[in-house]
Each structure stands twice: as C-alpha cells, then as structure tokens.
Amino acid sequence: MMKQQFKNYMDGETIRLIGRGSRLSLLQLQIVKQKIEAAFDKITVQVITRDSKGDALQDVPLHTVEGSDFFTGDIFDALTNNEADIAVHSLKDMSSEHFFGANKFALVDRDDTRDVAILSQNVTIKIQNGKKIIIGTCSPRREEMAIGFLQKALPQLNKDFKVVVKDIRGNVDTRLRKLDSGEYDGIILATAGLNRLLNSKEDAPAIKELLKYKKLVLLPLIECVPAPCQGAIVAEVNPSNRKAIEVLNRINDTKLMNACAHEKRTAKQYGVGCLQKFGVTTINYGNRHVLYAAGKDTEGAVFTKWAGLPELYVGNNNFFSTTDFMGDFFQYHYNDDELRIDEPVVYVANYKAAEKKEIISQLKGKKVWAAGTRTWFELAKKGIWVEGCADAFGLEFLQTAWQMPLLKIEKKNIAVLTGNEAAEIWQAKGWNAYSSYSTKEKCLPAIEQQIKNSNIIFWTSYRQYLQYKNVLKKGVIHACPYGETTEQFKAAGIKPVVFPNIKAFQQWRQTSIPSRSVV
C-alpha cells in the first residue's frame, strides 16, 4: 500500500536526466530512465545531452592535463544551474572529492568490471617475426599493469617481440575503428562498455562488425586490477532538489553503493586523478566478496591490499601450508590413450595437463582459458593463445564472464582439461571433461612430520588432505582456497576457513603469521 501511495505521489511529475552524448552515455541514460519508469507508474522522463571537457579534448592525453572530472564536471554543473534534475555518469570518471561531497548519489547498475585487450588477427605473425606490438591506451594504470602482463601472456613465439604503448583517445567505436584501420595492433577497453553496446539493437551490428576477426584477451582481475568503480553507473542530484532525491532513493542499489564507496575510499589512500597506476575492485565469488587493490601509489611504491579476508588467529599455534611444497605431493603419469577434444573452447585446469605434443597442437586451434595466470604463462610458452583465466577462483567463477555479450560462450561448448580424478568430478557436474594424466601420491616423511605437528593447515587441494588425514592432530583447523576444494571439504562434513584464492592467502600469511608459528 505504501509503495502504491509513493508511486501516486510522483504521478504527473517530470524528471530531467542529463548526461554526455556518446552512444555509450546514451545507453547509460536509458538504463536509468528505465529504472525510474519501473519505480513510478506515471512519471515523464526527459533526456538531455551535453558534451564534457573530456569530449572536447579528444586529441590530448588526459593525464597531461591538470584537474579532474573531465567527463563529469560539465554535467553535474547543470544540476547547480537547475538545467536538469538528475545527472548520469560512469562512476569511474568521477573524482572521490566530488563523490563524497555535498550532492546525493545512487548506484543504479554495474556490469563486468574487467578490462579486455582486443587485438588484430595479424598479431600472431608479428610476434613470430619479433616485431613491436602497438597497444592503444591513454590510462597510466593499464600501461603499468596490462602491458607487462601481455608481454608474458601472449604466445611466446619469438623472444624478441615487444609490447609497447601508444596513446589513444575517442569513444569505444572510434577506438575500434582505429584498430580496424591498422593504426594499432591492439587496444584495451572496459568490458562493461562493450557489453552495453552489444546489448543495444541499434549499436550491436556495428560493434560486432568491428570485432569480427579480432583476437581477445580478457585481462585478469589480480594482475590487471580494474579502475575503482569500473562498470558502475551513478545518478546524481543536487541536495536542494527534494523531488529528485525521492527518485534517487528508489533506484539506488544499496549493495552496489556500499561496494563502490569502499572502492573510492580505498583509492583515496593511494592517489587520485588521471595519473593513477593502481586499481581497486570488488570481487564477488560464490556468496562472498572481497575488495582487492594493487599497483603503484603516487610515491611509486608497489602495494597489494585485500580487505574482507577471513579471520583466522594463529597465535602460538603451529601453522603448515602446502603451498611451500607444491611439487612434493604427487607424481604425474601421462595417459597413453590418444585424446581428441571436440569442443571449441577448452578450460585448462592445470598446465601439466597440456604437456603432450598432440594436446598442445589441438589447443592451438581452440579458444583456450586457464585456471590462473601460472597456467596461462606456461601455455603461452608453448605458443598457445589464451583468452582469459579464472584468477584461481575455480572454473565456475568464469561462468558469468562467459555469459557476457562480448563472449557468449555456452557450457555445452566448453571442455575441461584436467587429471583423471578431477575429470570424473566435473563430468558428474555436467561438464565435458577430459583427462590427460593421473597422479600418484608421494610419501615424504619430512612433510608428514610437519603436518603431524600442526594445529592449522592450509590445503591447496582436498586430495592432499586425504593423503595425510590419518596423521592429523585432533581438532586441527583446515583452511583452503575457494572453489572445488572448499566444496569437497564441506561434502566431507568439514567446515574450512575459506580464502578467495591462493594469492589472497599468501598476502594474509605475510601480515598475519609470526615466523615462529610456521612449521
């Protein structure tokens, strides 16, 4: 009843939205317009567009210009002048000073947060010939993180090829056309903008045509951290506009607002403006989330920060981590049977699964995804093009990414390449899974003794636990990374302390465990 009364209260009102005039900005205005119309039955929403300072400076790298809010300043000035009721922005473009200022805000929508490198078809030939690979970006953050990553992640077909940066400006379609014309070998864009354009009936055909015959690399969240609030649409009103505030309150996503505010506050600790060489993002995995920030601060100091990791008190307890002995648990034996993978997409769960020449040959003709960046780099050394990875969060972490309009990868078209036991588990879950190896347990007395003496143990696989469970202390605390390992512990009636992934655990370990506690 209250909801209906509130809807009636706004009957006949007109709300003026204002934003930039680019195709992507117009789509974001449309998203906000639809949210308002869904919340109020009889309200009129007008859309106004205006160019920003950033639009006017098309040929100038923004990191060379003093100031901030290049894409938002002229838009939110319209609120002060009562030319509009609600301004709509990409929150990534808004300074923290303004976001935490006097105006009121609502978080309306957020798409995928990652960056994607889009490369021309002839990049492989240029790598083979040891040529320069010219990547277009005007972001110091992307230059700092993505260029070095691509140098290791692209197929290592010649040790002399080099990935270099060239400034680029313009809207998404403009940058894609510059790539298409051969001015660049690759460009880096936010996936969110591409997804929104590909969801638009009006824009999708042109974007699809520009993406045709291009090669993709979905940049990992950990090594190439997205900008704070990337992919988020924010609506803004002047605090004196009570009507607009009422609308804002109805379309705000509180969970998104809390996450983005946390990202903005964290970013303020390390630097502001267009010169940022770091990223901050919220990573959702399962029903959990964690904030991750990494890069270089304004003083040039390298940092890594995880917020929201589990609480695990070690104190004087003996602590053991299997990460210190990763090669000492199993011996690998490769299957003699010929393996033929029919699916066009292959998820490689472990780089050891791709050792045989016939498998490597098949992978070179597939769309390949990796469990994490270690597997990615090992595959790249074999000359395999890898499109992306699960950031060591497990296969199912990738499902939302695969469903994006940019990728549209269906489960039925994916093969999981792994070992014998893991293949059976994935097959039971309905995945197409192939095994290229089996493992045999190693029994090392030194490791067994350390596990016997430990009160807290971090396992990287459930199989490690099975190998040594008969020698464990009573009441031992188990910890592990999120994913299939966690599920197997829970199925066995064990409630482990769950870390997002191994890198998050290693960061926690560095700051939380006194050296005397490590066995």
Side-chain angles (χ1 to χ4, degrees), residues 2 42 46 87 95 98 102 124 148 157 161 171 201 222 252 256 271 294 338 350 366 380 388 399 422 437 462 483 495:
M2 290 291 292
K42 299 176 181 178
Q46 294 179 352
S95 68
H98 187 78
T124 304
L157 302 171
F161 88 95
N171 297 326
K201 290 182 179 179
I222 306 302
N252 182 49
L256 281 183
E338 183 178 343
N350 186 328
K366 306 286 187 181
Q399 289 190 92
Y437 66 87
Y462 182 71
K495 188 176 181 181

Side-chain angles (χ1 to χ4, degrees), residues 440-455:
K440 183 179 179 181
E441 296 169 353
K442 294 181 184 178
C443 294
L444 298 181
I447 290 180
E448 181 174 323
Q449 188 59 46
Q450 292 183 62
I451 290 175
K452 275 184 179 180
N453 294 335
S454 298
N455 308 95

Side-chain angles (χ1 to χ4, degrees), residues 412-444:
K412 67 180 182 181
N413 292 326
I414 301 168
V416 181
L417 183 61
T418 184
N420 287 359
E421 292 188 3
E424 292 178 5
I425 292 171
W426 290 116
Q427 287 166 1
K429 288 187 170 188
W431 292 86
N432 306 306
Y434 299 79
S435 169
S436 65
Y437 66 87
S438 60
T439 55
K440 183 179 179 181
E441 296 169 353
K442 294 181 184 178
C443 294
L444 298 181

Side-chain angles (χ1 to χ4, degrees), residues 207-231:
I207 299 299
K208 287 178 180 177
E209 187 64 29
L210 289 167
L211 290 173
K212 192 182 290 185
Y213 308 122
K214 302 299 187 296
K215 300 177 82 70
L216 300 182
V217 175
L218 189 67
L219 297 176
L221 291 166
I222 306 302
E223 278 76 6
C224 303
V225 196
C229 306
Q230 185 155 300

Side-chain angles (χ1 to χ4, degrees), residues 234-299:
V234 65
E236 172 187 14
V237 305
N238 189 291
S240 64
N241 191 332
R242 293 183 62 189
K243 175 181 70 174
I245 290 174
E246 295 279 14
V247 173
L248 220 61
N249 291 338
R250 289 295 301 277
I251 63 173
N252 182 49
D253 185 317
T254 304
K255 184 178 177 181
L256 281 183
M257 174 62 80
N258 292 339
C260 288
H262 194 185
E263 290 175 31
K264 286 284 190 187
R265 290 192 185 96
T266 301
K268 283 182 69 177
Q269 301 172 29
Y270 301 106
V272 296
C274 294
L275 292 173
Q276 289 179 352
K277 293 186 177 182
F278 63 85
V280 184
T281 194
T282 302
I283 302 175
N284 298 296
Y285 59 104
N287 59 358
R288 304 173 174 89
H289 70 273
V290 66
L291 180 137
Y292 177 68
K296 287 183 179 178
D297 64 17
T298 51
E299 303 300 321

Side-chain angles (χ1 to χ4, degrees), residues 61 63 132-140 142-143 147 162-169 175 178-179 181-188:
H63 63 267
K132 286 183 180 178
I133 308 299
I134 300 170
I135 303 295
T137 180
C138 61
S139 161
R142 287 170 175 163
E143 182 175 352
I147 300 307
K162 188 171 179 60
V163 181
V164 298
V165 169
K166 180 181 175 182
D167 278 326
I168 190 171
R169 289 292 314 281
R175 297 188 190 200
K178 288 180 179 182
L179 171 63
S181 69
E183 190 176 341
Y184 300 86
D185 298 308
I187 58 175
I188 301 174

Side-chain angles (χ1 to χ4, degrees), residues 18 50 72-84 87 89 98 103 236 238:
I18 189 167
R50 175 170 297 176
T72 55
D74 296 302
I75 307 302
F76 52 65
D77 283 349
L79 301 179
T80 304
N81 300 330
N82 196 30
E83 299 169 47
H89 318 276
H98 187 78
N103 282 3
E236 172 187 14
N238 189 291

Side-chain angles (χ1 to χ4, degrees), residues 229-473:
C229 306
Q230 185 155 300
I233 300 174
V234 65
E236 172 187 14
V237 305
N238 189 291
S240 64
N241 191 332
R242 293 183 62 189
K243 175 181 70 174
I245 290 174
E246 295 279 14
V247 173
L248 220 61
N249 291 338
R250 289 295 301 277
I251 63 173
N252 182 49
D253 185 317
T254 304
K255 184 178 177 181
L256 281 183
M257 174 62 80
N258 292 339
C260 288
H262 194 185
E263 290 175 31
K264 286 284 190 187
R265 290 192 185 96
T266 301
K268 283 182 69 177
Q269 301 172 29
Y270 301 106
V272 296
C274 294
L275 292 173
Q276 289 179 352
K277 293 186 177 182
F278 63 85
V280 184
T281 194
T282 302
I283 302 175
N284 298 296
Y285 59 104
N287 59 358
R288 304 173 174 89
H289 70 273
V290 66
L291 180 137
Y292 177 68
K296 287 183 179 178
D297 64 17
T298 51
E299 303 300 321
V302 177
F303 73 92
T304 300
K305 174 178 180 176
W306 293 84
L309 296 182
E311 294 183 2
L312 178 59
Y313 178 71
V314 176
N316 293 322
N317 289 305
N318 288 332
F319 184 93
F320 178 84
S321 173
T322 63
T323 57
D324 297 334
F325 304 91
M326 291 294 277
D328 296 327
F329 284 88
F330 307 109
Q331 292 177 328
Y332 289 78
H333 300 277
Y334 291 93
N335 302 339
D336 294 327
D337 298 340
E338 183 178 343
L339 181 64
R340 177 182 170 182
I341 302 172
D342 297 320
E343 291 76 14
V345 181
V346 181
Y347 173 86
V348 182
N350 186 328
Y351 68 89
K352 293 181 184 295
E355 290 293 329
K356 297 177 73 173
K357 288 182 180 179
E358 56 266 33
I359 291 177
I360 295 170
S361 178
Q362 287 189 69
L363 292 179
K364 288 181 178 180
K366 306 286 187 181
K367 292 180 179 292
V368 177
W369 291 73
T373 50
R374 183 184 180 189
T375 293
W376 189 329
F377 295 155
E378 292 297 327
L379 294 173
K381 289 175 185 176
K382 295 176 170 63
I384 298 168
W385 188 286
V386 179
E387 288 198 345
C389 76
D391 282 291
F393 283 95
L395 164 62
E396 288 161 332
F397 178 74
L398 276 174
Q399 289 190 92
T400 53
W402 284 334
Q403 292 166 8
M404 293 190 301
L406 178 63
L407 298 174
K408 281 192 173 180
I409 297 174
E410 297 182 64
K411 183 177 179 179
K412 67 180 182 181
N413 292 326
I414 301 168
V416 181
L417 183 61
T418 184
N420 287 359
E421 292 188 3
E424 292 178 5
I425 292 171
W426 290 116
Q427 287 166 1
K429 288 187 170 188
W431 292 86
N432 306 306
Y434 299 79
S435 169
S436 65
Y437 66 87
S438 60
T439 55
K440 183 179 179 181
E441 296 169 353
K442 294 181 184 178
C443 294
L444 298 181
I447 290 180
E448 181 174 323
Q449 188 59 46
Q450 292 183 62
I451 290 175
K452 275 184 179 180
N453 294 335
S454 298
N455 308 95
I456 305 172
I457 302 173
F458 181 84
W459 308 95
T460 56
S461 77
Y462 182 71
R463 179 115 180 259
Q464 295 168 344
Y465 159 76
L466 291 177
Q467 186 175 348
Y468 288 100
K469 71 175 185 177
N470 293 328
V471 303
L472 297 175
K473 281 185 178 182

